Amino acid sequence: MAKEQISIFDMFKIGIGPSSSHTLGPWRAAQRFVQVLVDRNLLSHVQTVNILLYGSLAKTGVGHGTDIAVLLGLSGDDPVTFDVHDVVPKVERIKSNKKLNLGAQKEIDFCYIDNLLFLYDQSLPFHPNAVTFQAFLEDGTAISETYYSIGGGFVVQENDSESVLSEIDLPFPIDTAQELMVACMRTGLKISELVLENECSWRSEQATRDGVMQIFNTIKECIYKGCHTDGVLPGGLHVERRAAKLNKRMLKGRTYNDYDSWLEAIRAGGRDFGYILDCVSCFALAVNEENASFGRVVTAPTNGAAGVIPAVLQYYLAFYDAYNEDKIIQFIATASEIGSIFKKGATISAAMGGCQAEIGVSSAMAAGALTECLGGSQRQALMAAEIAMEHHLGLTCDPIGGLVQIPCIERNTMGAIKAITAAQLALQSNPDKAKVSLDAVVSTMWETALDMNVKYKETADGGLAIKVPLSLPEC
C-alpha cells in the first residue's frame, strides 16, 4: 500500500484568511467545480448555480468567510493572487447585481439568498466540512459535485484518496515519527535534509528553495503589515487590533519603512525576558489579525493557527541572528514533516478534532523546527514536538460568533510560547528518558478528537461561543 505523500507546499499554502478549512478549502472546491464544467464543455451552457453548505461550513460559514470564498472561487479568482482589498467589494457587487461571472467566462443569474444555502441542521457523514455545487443547464439537466474541506486547505471528494500522490517513489516514504527516526538514523540526515531529499523527487532543488522562500516572503509581509495596521477587526465583535500598538511600545514609538530595518530594530531591543515575550506575542497577533481581516496568510498548517510558526520563526531570526535563506528553509522543512505526521496519523481539521488539531499541531511543528535549528538532535526535535502537543490535548474549538477572533487570535500567542518552551525543554533533556513518544501523542490526539463532543468542533455551539455575550468587549 502506497504511503501518503505530503510536500512542504501541501502543509504551507498561500491563501486568504480567515480559515483554511472554511475559506481556502471551499475556495479551492469552487475552483475544482468550475474546472469540472470546463473539462466537460458545459460552462457555456450553465444558467445558474446552487451552493449547499453543510455542517460546520454552514454553522460558522459567514464568520469564516465561506460564502465569500465560494463566490470568488466560482468567479475564477485565485486566493494566491487575488487583491485582498477587493475581497469584500467584489462579493458585494455579486450580491447587489445578482450576477456571477462563472469562471470569469460566463455571466449567470445568481441570488445570494436563494442560491447560497446554509444547511445548519444537515451534515454529511464523510466529514463535517461539506459543500455541494449544483449547476443547472439550459437543457434542464443538472451537474452536482460534493467536496469536503478536511483541514489546512486540503479538499477531497468521498471517492478520492486523501493522499497527495505522485507516480514516483519517494526515497524516504514516512508515515510515523518512528519511521522518520529510523530513516534519520540509517542515513545520518537531519529531518530537514531528509525532507528536502523527498522534495527533489517532485521538482529541482532550486525550485523547492524558491518556493519555500516565496512562502517565507508571504509570512514576513504578513507579520510586517500586521504589526503596522491599526483598527477594528471585521465581523461585528468589535475586536481591536493590538499588534500595532504593542509594536509601537516595543520600539518606543520609532517607525521603520521596511521589514529588514524593522527586524534589526527588534533585534537591537535586547534579550529581556518580558521583551521577548512581548515580541513573540506581537508577531503571532499580527498574523492572526491579518488573517481575521481577509489578509493574505500562509496555512501553517491552517489559517486559524497561522500565527504560531511565523511567530516562532521570527523569534529565531531576530534573537539568534539567523536571518538567512538556509536557516529559513531548514525551519520550514522540519516543521512541514512534523505537520505531515499529524495529518497522516490524526487530523489538522478543527471540525474533526477541535483546536488541538490546529494550534496544537502548529505548536508541535514550530517546537520541532526550532529545536533542530538550535542544534538539537533528530530525537530532541521529535521530543519537542511531543511536549508541545501533549500540553494542547483536548483543546476545543469554540469561536465566538463563528469568527476566527476570540479565542483564536490569542491562542496563537500561547501556542508560540509553548513551542519555544517545549524546544528549550527538549534541548536540555535526554530523549532516551522520555516517557511519551510523538507517535503516542499523535494517537492520543486522534482518540481525544473522536471522543470530543461535536459542539466543541468549530460549530460555535459550545464553550466560550455560548458563554460570552457578543456585546462584551475582549479583555
Side-chain angles (χ1 to χ4, degrees):
M1 179 178 175
K3 292 181 181 291
E4 185 175 2
Q5 299 179 353
I6 298 177
S7 166
I8 292 173
F9 305 110
D10 297 316
M11 298 308 299
F12 293 95
K13 304 182 184 76
I14 299 172
I16 291 175
S19 171
S20 53
S21 59
H22 287 59
T23 315
L24 180 58
W27 193 322
R28 291 300 189 197
Q31 290 179 300
R32 278 183 59 171
F33 181 64
V34 170
Q35 190 59 49
V36 167
L37 297 175
V38 170
D39 292 344
R40 298 182 186 179
N41 296 316
L42 296 174
L43 187 65
S44 62
H45 301 289
V46 176
Q47 288 191 314
T48 191
V49 169
N50 280 350
I51 307 161
L52 285 64
L53 301 177
Y54 296 90
S56 182
L57 290 188
K59 291 181 177 180
T60 61
V62 172
H64 287 61
T66 307
D67 53 341
I68 291 172
V70 292
L71 293 180
L72 294 177
L74 290 175
S75 299
D77 299 310
D78 190 272
V80 176
T81 58
F82 187 68
D83 183 356
V84 295
H85 300 100
D86 198 33
V87 169
V88 175
K90 180 161 186 176
V91 171
E92 290 303 317
R93 292 194 296 272
I94 292 172
K95 290 180 180 180
S96 60
N97 296 335
K98 294 187 176 181
K99 297 286 185 181
L100 189 150
N101 191 8
L102 189 63
Q105 299 179 46
K106 171 68 185 298
E107 187 173 79
I108 61 173
D109 294 327
F110 185 87
C111 176
Y112 180 89
I113 296 175
D114 296 333
N115 298 119
L116 179 51
L117 306 177
F118 293 83
L119 305 177
Y120 301 104
D121 299 324
Q122 298 184 38
S123 293
L124 301 185
F126 183 74
H127 193 281
N129 294 335
V131 55
T132 296
F133 297 97
Q134 300 170 330
F136 298 91
L137 309 181
E138 296 165 346
D139 62 3
T141 60
I143 301 297
S144 178
E145 297 283 340
T146 298
Y147 301 91
Y148 300 89
S149 180
I150 61 174
F154 289 88
V155 176
V156 299
Q157 292 181 277
E158 193 162 354
N159 57 351
D160 284 349
S161 165
E162 291 185 17
S163 306
V164 183
L165 294 174
S166 62
E167 295 181 357
I168 47 86
D169 293 326
L170 295 179
F172 303 106
I174 302 296
D175 275 352
T176 67
Q178 177 63 26
E179 292 175 351
L180 174 60
M181 193 64 248
V182 169
C184 288
M185 291 176 64
R186 178 167 54 84
T187 62
L189 295 174
K190 297 177 181 178
I191 295 173
S192 60
E193 292 171 338
L194 183 146
V195 170
L196 294 174
E197 286 291 326
N198 276 345
E199 295 295 323
C200 286
S201 300
W202 285 303
R203 70 195 75 82
S204 70
E205 179 183 353
Q206 189 59 50
T208 295
R209 295 179 68 88
D210 291 345
V212 173
M213 292 309 295
Q214 182 185 13
I215 293 291
F216 171 70
N217 287 331
T218 303
I219 287 173
K220 78 174 188 180
E221 289 165 9
C222 181
I223 294 176
Y224 182 81
K225 184 180 178 185
C227 283
H228 295 83
T229 304
D230 289 305
V232 175
L233 299 177
L237 290 183
H238 308 293
V239 175
E240 185 176 358
R241 296 177 70 136
R242 287 178 284 177
K245 290 183 178 180
L246 182 54
N247 179 62
K248 288 177 183 177
R249 286 198 297 270
M250 292 185 325
L251 298 181
K252 297 180 172 54
R254 297 187 300 272
T255 58
Y256 300 87
N257 295 324
D258 62 85
Y259 173 86
D260 288 353
S261 58
W262 171 71
L263 178 64
E264 188 58 40
I266 292 288
R267 182 181 292 124
R271 297 185 65 86
D272 176 79
F273 182 66
Y275 174 73
I276 291 177
L277 283 179
D278 284 344
C279 288
V280 174
S281 295
C282 182
F283 303 153
L285 290 174
V287 172
N288 286 86
E289 287 172 357
E290 281 298 294
N291 181 61
S293 303
F294 297 102
R296 181 159 283 114
V297 298
V298 174
T299 63
T302 67
N303 281 30
V308 175
I309 289 171
V312 176
L313 174 57
Q314 184 81 351
Y315 159 80
Y316 174 59
L317 301 183
F319 297 106
Y320 287 89
D321 196 23
Y323 186 28
N324 67 73
E325 184 173 303
D326 288 341
K327 288 296 186 181
I328 291 165
I329 292 172
Q330 181 183 11
F331 190 102
I332 291 176
T334 305
S336 74
E337 185 63 24
I338 292 169
S340 74
I341 288 171
F342 277 97
K343 184 186 179 298
K344 294 168 185 174
T347 181
I348 58 172
S349 166
M352 286 292 285
C355 199
Q356 60 173 353
E358 297 202 19
I359 294 293
V361 172
S362 63
S363 186
M365 293 167 67
L370 181 61
T371 301
E372 179 177 303
C373 287
L374 292 180
S377 68
Q378 300 95 325
R379 295 182 69 188
Q380 285 176 317
L382 297 181
M383 183 182 186
E386 182 280 319
I387 293 171
M389 173 52 80
E390 184 178 326
H391 301 288
H392 282 95
L393 288 174
L395 188 62
T396 60
C397 183
D398 48 358
I400 297 174
L403 297 165
V404 191
Q405 296 181 18
I406 306 173
C408 319
I409 295 174
E410 286 182 354
R411 280 187 179 170
N412 279 263
T413 71
M414 304 306 291
I417 297 300
K418 284 185 180 181
I420 295 170
T421 302
Q424 290 299 123
L425 282 172
L427 286 167
Q428 302 302 323
S429 300
N430 180 356
D432 291 340
K433 297 184 178 181
K435 303 299 183 184
V436 183
S437 69
L438 179 56
D439 285 331
V441 86
V442 171
S443 176
T444 301
M445 184 204 124
W446 180 233
E447 291 170 2
T448 305
L450 295 176
D451 289 340
M452 188 180 290
N453 191 302
V454 68
K455 68 183 180 181
Y456 298 120
K457 297 181 180 181
E458 207 167 7
T459 61
D461 288 339
L464 289 175
I466 63 172
K467 293 294 185 182
V468 179
L470 298 186
S471 60
L472 189 68
E474 185 180 19
C475 295

